Amino acid sequence: MTAKAKPADPAPDPADVLDPKKALVPSVVKVNEARVTKGFWPKITRTAARIPFADQALAAWYAARDPETPMAAKGMIFASLAYFVLPVDAIPDIFAGIGYTDDAAVITAVLAMVGANIKRRHRDKAEDAVQRLKSK
């Protein structure tokens, strides 16, 4: 490595991706974005008709993918969506009725923090997507 070269960010510890204190660390944001990009649509497609917060999760997804959304907001959104996508949960999703309450709480909390970055266009896209998903 040359004197001017910067070392690459070390790979985050697996627990770091769900640690809110580390949600804005660039390497953690990158891991969360990759996991959400891979797992969000398969999970939301399976669950949209059963979870009352599908529109909020989708609006967050569209905001996170919007180039106009600030990086700090994207980091927080990707962290909350990673929690939704990952099978590691405080309350496992397989429990009918209560399995998604922790996911809803995490997404709601993040929307309370970064909600100003979720624009009407994101909410409109989310509403359209929920209608399409529920009609399948």
Side-chain angles (χ1 to χ4, degrees), residues 13-51:
D13 181 296
D16 289 350
V17 297
L18 297 178
D19 183 349
K21 295 175 193 159
K22 297 180 181 178
L24 300 180
V25 173
S27 59
V28 173
V29 172
K30 187 175 180 179
V31 168
N32 282 339
E33 182 177 6
R35 285 186 172 150
V36 171
T37 298
K38 181 179 178 184
F40 181 76
W41 279 105
K43 183 146 188 186
I44 202 74
T45 299
R46 286 190 317 270
T47 61
R50 295 182 290 146
I51 58 173

Side-chain angles (χ1 to χ4, degrees), residues 73-130:
K74 286 182 181 194
M76 295 305 293
I77 293 168
F78 279 128
S80 70
L81 294 177
Y83 185 82
F84 172 66
V85 168
L86 291 173
V88 177
D89 256 299
I91 302 172
D93 296 339
I94 59 170
F95 292 121
I98 64 165
Y100 287 102
T101 55
D102 58 325
D103 299 280
V106 168
I107 290 172
T108 301
V110 166
L111 293 182
M113 287 189 287
V114 301
N117 296 288
I118 301 193
K119 307 298 183 197
R120 180 79 252 163
R121 66 182 176 269
H122 304 135
R123 295 185 194 285
D124 290 344
K125 282 183 175 181
E127 289 171 17
D128 292 344
V130 167

